[in-house]
Amino acid sequence: MQVSVESTSALERRMTVGVPVERIENEVNKRLQQTASRAKIPGFRPGKVPMSVIRQRYEAAARQEALGDLIQATFYEAVVAEKLNPAGAPSVEPKVFEKGKDLEYVATFEVFPEFKVGGFESIEVERQQAEVGEADVDNMLDILRKQNTRYENVEREAQDGDQLTIDFVGKIDGEVFAGGSAKGTQLVLGSGRMIPGFEEALVGAKVGEERVITPTFPEDYQNLDLAGKTAEFTVTVNAVAAPQLPELNDEFFAQFGVQEGGLEGFRAEVKKNMERELRQAIKTKVKNQVMEGLVSTNPIEAPKALIDNEVNRLRVQAVQQFGGNIKPEQLPAEMFQEQAKRRVILGLIVAEVVKQFELKPDDARVRELIEEMASAYQEPEQVVAWYYKNDEQLNEVRSVVLEEQVVDTVLQQAKVTDKSVSYEEAVKPAEAPQAA
């Protein structure tokens, strides 16, 4: 077998492979002999059909099959011999594909980039430090009460924060427009659900009252046909309900799985959950900075085949998340191109850190992480056992731990600055990293 390789770009390779005719004929003959042993042809006993008849009937198909299998087999033999690492399936173009001649084809494909990671010492990381104080717990209790607000009908004018049950019909230039009407809609005044001016115009309304209001759609409204236009809504108020915050009592605590300990026990449980959230938030922000630093200090080119695969994965995820009747391939690839490119580059860099530093998931850390996740459940022992009985979920945890070990490896050399912040600031979501 003859092989020659040409580099057509940083990652693309053009490999020409020649396969001797003898090897081709051996493969064809092997297939014909297999066919002869089982062929059923009228006038001949099974296994006694002359090879000349077998060739006449089956050689074309046997040759086509042999050539396809040989291209696949010799491609992988060639990349192993040439020490190439393909990053996707090749594009194969036959050059000589004739009976009685050597097979020659050209395979074009991309390879994984070869590089060593480094530059850890130039990566800057700000690590936030925070604690959960009693005031933070008080604030969280207020949030939990508001999230469980109940509304009771009242016979008074509507106030900000009240929940109204309304019917409305919207018109523009005297014509009803699509999506501008509804019946029995529940709307909390001040929630910002409706366009600016809509909710404000209903403050002071009473049950049974009909109001005509004229809010204006924002210039950047998602429906361009309505953007910047003033509408006329006829709104009928069917009910006004005032918010009622639940009491901090055993009934309320039971909704969150706290059956004992009263207010003190509930506060302790809330604080424990807040501390877990705090640790995770700080860890996530540190990880994001480390990953961003790895990308910026290790510029590499990503194989297009891997980016295309990642784009397709993101398309499927988007359809699963938002639903609808759309098919993944109908979503424009450009929507996901930059995100896919960054994920591929980061994946390649992280994999190289693992390889370069010979990292393996630490079993103790895997156990610790599983136990921490399980602590959020009422029967944590069963959750821990479940993870260790399910290889797929256990491997996911191992991957998370391995990624944490990559972060720790970088932090040993990075410039890390600790900064004391409030609980609220620490748990704010980390900003999304910029595309590579």
Side-chain angles (χ1 to χ4, degrees):
M1 186 174 71
Q2 294 182 335
V3 180
S4 64
V5 180
E6 175 188 0
S7 297
T8 53
S9 71
L11 297 181
E12 189 178 80
R13 301 292 181 268
R14 192 171 186 269
M15 185 170 69
T16 303
V17 180
V19 184
V21 66
E22 294 82 10
R23 183 171 176 181
I24 300 169
E25 295 307 319
N26 285 338
E27 288 296 323
V28 173
N29 289 334
K30 190 187 301 181
R31 282 165 173 76
L32 290 175
Q33 288 167 3
Q34 291 171 348
T35 302
S37 66
R38 60 177 183 269
K40 295 181 180 179
I41 299 178
F44 299 96
R45 287 182 297 164
K48 300 297 183 179
V49 183
M51 187 55 70
S52 59
V53 177
I54 294 294
R55 283 190 177 278
Q56 184 180 3
R57 290 199 173 202
Y58 301 108
E59 183 176 5
R63 186 171 297 278
Q64 192 70 27
E65 182 183 311
L67 289 172
D69 289 349
L70 276 171
I71 287 175
Q72 185 174 4
T74 56
F75 171 75
Y76 286 104
E77 289 173 15
V79 295
V80 169
E82 297 294 324
K83 297 180 180 178
L84 299 172
N85 191 6
S91 170
V92 177
E93 176 190 353
K95 293 185 71 176
V96 180
F97 212 58
E98 300 176 26
K99 181 180 179 181
K101 293 186 178 181
D102 292 349
L103 167 66
E104 187 176 20
Y105 65 89
V106 175
T108 305
F109 56 94
E110 290 177 295
V111 295
F112 283 91
E114 294 183 2
F115 64 100
K116 290 290 185 183
V117 287
F120 296 175
E121 65 283 348
S122 64
I123 295 176
E124 297 184 3
V125 176
E126 181 183 87
R127 183 169 52 200
Q128 294 180 340
Q129 305 283 339
E131 293 182 355
V132 179
E134 292 305 309
D136 297 315
V137 177
D138 290 339
N139 185 51
M140 182 58 68
L141 295 185
D142 288 339
I143 292 173
L144 294 175
R145 291 179 71 200
K146 289 175 182 176
Q147 288 175 347
N148 289 271
T149 297
R150 295 177 184 145
Y151 291 90
E152 294 184 2
N153 288 341
V154 292
E155 296 294 331
R156 60 164 171 75
E157 295 181 350
Q159 301 174 1
D160 205 34
D162 286 348
Q163 178 179 271
L164 274 57
T165 303
I166 59 174
D167 302 333
F168 60 90
V169 176
K171 297 179 180 179
I172 292 180
D173 297 330
E175 298 291 331
V176 175
F177 61 91
S181 303
K183 285 185 175 293
T185 293
Q186 291 186 324
L187 173 66
V188 176
L189 299 185
S191 64
R193 259 184 61 200
M194 307 298 278
I195 61 174
F198 190 104
E199 295 170 25
E200 293 86 343
L202 295 178
V203 173
K206 295 181 178 179
V207 175
E209 183 178 344
E210 180 179 282
R211 284 196 176 186
V212 177
I213 61 178
T214 55
T216 300
F217 284 92
E219 294 291 343
D220 59 352
Y221 194 66
Q222 57 191 7
N223 186 338
L224 299 180
D225 293 334
L226 302 177
K229 293 183 179 179
T230 298
E232 180 184 277
F233 288 92
T234 301
V235 184
T236 302
V237 179
N238 299 321
V240 175
Q244 300 294 324
L245 293 179
E247 295 294 327
L248 290 172
N249 54 26
D250 289 344
E251 181 184 354
F252 181 74
F253 305 151
Q255 294 180 40
F256 299 89
V258 178
Q259 305 290 345
E260 300 176 351
L263 178 58
E264 185 178 342
F266 184 64
R267 287 181 66 92
E269 184 66 23
V270 168
K271 185 173 184 178
K272 184 173 72 172
N273 291 336
M274 292 172 70
E275 288 172 340
R276 182 168 52 244
E277 180 187 10
L278 176 62
R279 288 193 299 272
Q280 187 57 48
I282 292 173
K283 188 186 295 185
T284 298
K285 288 180 180 180
V286 168
K287 171 190 159 187
N288 286 348
Q289 293 176 77
V290 167
M291 296 302 176
E292 188 64 23
L294 284 172
V295 171
S296 61
T297 56
N298 294 275
I300 63 171
E301 189 172 341
K304 185 177 182 301
L306 298 186
I307 296 175
D308 290 343
N309 288 340
E310 190 62 33
V311 165
N312 290 333
R313 270 195 289 270
L314 291 171
R315 279 170 160 168
V316 171
Q317 289 175 10
V319 170
Q320 291 173 340
Q321 181 177 356
F322 298 109
N325 297 323
I326 192 170
K327 295 180 180 179
E329 59 269 20
Q330 291 177 302
L331 296 174
E334 296 76 18
M335 287 177 59
F336 309 98
Q337 196 73 24
E338 288 303 320
Q339 184 185 0
K341 180 181 177 183
R342 187 182 188 282
R343 288 177 105 175
V344 169
I345 289 174
L346 190 52
L348 292 171
I349 293 173
V350 169
E352 183 58 31
V353 174
V354 171
K355 176 184 173 183
Q356 203 167 306
F357 289 85
E358 300 180 348
L359 300 178
K360 293 181 180 179
D362 184 283
D363 290 339
R365 291 182 65 161
V366 170
R367 179 85 186 188
E368 182 182 346
L369 180 55
I370 290 175
E371 289 178 347
E372 181 170 3
M373 291 188 295
S375 66
Y377 296 84
Q378 290 186 339
E379 297 179 344
E381 299 85 2
Q382 292 186 12
V383 177
V384 172
W386 179 82
Y387 268 99
Y388 279 99
K389 289 178 182 176
N390 291 273
D391 288 341
E392 185 177 347
Q393 283 73 26
L394 184 58
N395 286 332
E396 286 181 7
V397 177
R398 285 176 175 146
S399 295
V400 171
V401 167
L402 190 58
E403 201 170 69
E404 290 179 356
Q405 290 175 236
V406 168
V407 172
D408 291 345
T409 300
V410 175
L411 290 177
Q412 290 175 6
Q413 299 182 42
K415 300 175 183 176
V416 182
T417 304
D418 289 327
K419 179 183 178 183
S420 295
V421 298
S422 66
Y423 167 82
E424 290 295 334
E425 184 176 349
V427 297
K428 282 181 183 176
E431 292 184 7
Q434 298 297 312

